[in-house]
Each structure stands twice: as structure tokens, then as C-alpha cells.
Amino acid sequence: MRGEREQNCLNKVKENWGEVSIYGLSQEDIDVVKHGVFRAVPNCESSKFPDFIFDGGFIEHFQITSSQTSKKGALHQKEYAHYREETDKEICKFQEEMNVHPSFDEIQERHWCFNQPKHSYENLVIYSSHYFSNYNWKKVVKLPVNTIL
């Protein structure tokens, strides 16, 4: 899944390294992570796992969410897409009304609010099928650190 988005994500971590918060790791582990971030190069087989390789390890990007999820995706994303669709319809309708019946002596306004669906720590799930399939890669050297930046 490596592409421009993955490269941009890695670049952003590099550019903001001094501001990255890393909790629960020893200084030695932080040094391993930093080494990987700054020495990683794209996998020459762009469609294969992992996204980036460095001496002694690899970096793989994948999306996680704190929203409830199903096979159809994250609840938050589905509800937000529905919210945007409905508000876009209402905005178009309002604009049409203003074009048909312009009102120069009164102010009209509309407000919309998106109510966030439930998010939780328990929903921060790394799909085991994706995670463990990574260890099928023959050159994997297991790092002492698995971290999320």
C-alpha cells in the first residue's frame, strides 16, 4: 500500500521528530525507532509488504480508528459521509431558495452540527490478520519495539 500518502506520512514524522511523543519506551528503544524512521528507504517491490525497509527492520503503514468498525468500515466515516451528503443537499436547497426569493432586508442563516459517534480505546484495533500476515515476509527481523507514531 506504499505510495505518496505513506511517503508523506513518513516525511511528516521526520520533519517533526522533536515534537513526536513516544511513551512507554526506553531510550534504547526510542533510538531504534529513530534509526528506522531516518534510515528507512522505500521497498523496491512497491506492491509488497513492507512499505519501507531499514537495516534491522521495516515500517508498514496501516489505518487504525477509535470508532466502532465493521466489515463495511468505520462507523464515524459512514456517519460523517451521510452528514455531509445531507448538509450539502440542504445548502443547495437554501441557495436555490435565495436565488428564487432573494431577501435584501433580512438575514437568514443555517447551522449544522455533526454529533460524533462513540469512540473508545477498545476500538483502537490493529487487525490481527493484517498484522500477523506481515511476518510472512522472509527478511523480517523482529524489532524489540512495535510502536505507533
Side-chain angles (χ1 to χ4, degrees):
M1 174 176 149
R2 184 179 44 77
E4 187 177 334
R5 290 174 65 188
E6 289 80 1
Q7 186 65 58
N8 289 343
C9 180
L10 183 60
N11 290 344
K12 186 167 262 192
V13 171
K14 288 178 183 180
E15 291 164 10
N16 297 289
W17 181 258
E19 300 169 30
V20 171
S21 298
I22 303 176
Y23 299 103
L25 299 179
S26 68
Q27 186 58 50
E28 184 179 334
D29 288 344
I30 291 171
D31 292 342
V32 170
V33 172
K34 184 176 182 180
H35 169 81
V37 166
F38 285 94
R39 304 256 188 227
V41 295
N43 184 348
C44 59
E45 297 182 65
S46 62
S47 63
K48 304 279 185 180
F49 169 85
D51 295 329
F52 300 94
I53 304 167
F54 60 92
D55 182 34
F58 60 89
I59 297 173
E60 173 69 11
H61 291 83
F62 49 96
Q63 185 173 347
I64 61 173
T65 180
S66 62
S67 174
Q68 293 176 335
T69 58
S70 69
K71 289 181 181 180
K72 295 182 179 182
L75 178 63
H76 176 95
Q77 290 176 331
K78 289 190 294 186
E79 288 187 4
Y80 186 70
H82 178 71
Y83 163 79
R84 288 298 309 216
E85 183 180 327
E86 292 300 313
T87 55
D88 287 348
K89 286 179 190 175
E90 289 181 34
I91 289 169
C92 285
K93 183 179 174 184
F94 179 67
Q95 288 173 333
E96 287 174 13
E97 286 176 21
M98 294 288 86
N99 288 331
V100 173
H101 303 290
S103 174
F104 299 104
D105 58 341
E106 59 184 70
I107 297 174
Q108 293 193 22
E109 61 183 72
R110 299 290 188 269
H111 297 275
W112 293 271
C113 181
F114 177 65
N115 294 317
Q116 300 273 351
K118 182 181 175 189
H119 287 257
S120 72
Y121 178 77
E122 288 77 25
N123 290 334
L124 278 173
V125 176
I126 301 172
Y127 297 97
S128 60
S129 61
H130 175 83
Y131 185 75
F132 290 115
S133 71
N134 296 341
Y135 290 99
N136 295 333
W137 193 52
K138 294 178 182 173
K139 295 181 183 177
V140 169
V141 176
K142 190 173 181 185
L143 291 174
V145 177
N146 288 323
T147 192
I148 300 171
L149 297 175

